[in-house]
Amino acid sequence: PEAEHREGPAGTVHGFTGEDMGRRIDWILLRGALTCERIVTITDQRDGLYPSDHFPVLAELRFDTSPQTHPPRENGNPPEPA
């Protein structure tokens, strides 16, 4: 699933031009109890110079600690498979 909030361009490659080329080729993949709350494509530059031909991507993640995701352990051992 996509992040609830997105900032910046969807594309992450710009070829040192700063212009979004419309291609998202940088990904942050999650599984399990992690949920992405916010994604920011960072377009900072200094004097028109970029440190990379890709925009950096920042993700704010939430770790779900609910009992459904992490059942309680007995005696410190993980629960037996169902």
Side-chain angles (χ1 to χ4, degrees):
E2 293 284 326
E4 289 185 30
H5 304 283
R6 170 175 273 292
E7 297 173 33
T12 58
V13 64
H14 64 89
F16 291 104
T17 66
E19 297 294 322
D20 177 8
M21 299 174 98
R23 294 176 35 216
R24 186 186 310 171
I25 62 172
D26 299 285
W27 298 84
I28 297 173
L29 305 175
L30 308 173
R31 69 177 186 162
L34 290 171
T35 303
C36 187
E37 296 289 314
R38 182 172 79 118
I39 287 284
V40 180
T41 304
I42 301 168
T43 59
D44 294 355
Q45 50 80 27
R46 182 173 290 166
D47 299 324
L49 299 175
Y50 294 86
S52 173
D53 61 339
H54 295 229
F55 291 127
V57 178
L58 171 90
E60 289 184 5
L61 308 177
R62 179 171 37 92
F63 187 73
D64 183 3
T65 59
S66 68
Q68 294 80 14
T69 305
H70 299 283
R73 294 179 171 221
E74 291 183 26
N75 301 324
N77 297 317
E80 292 293 322

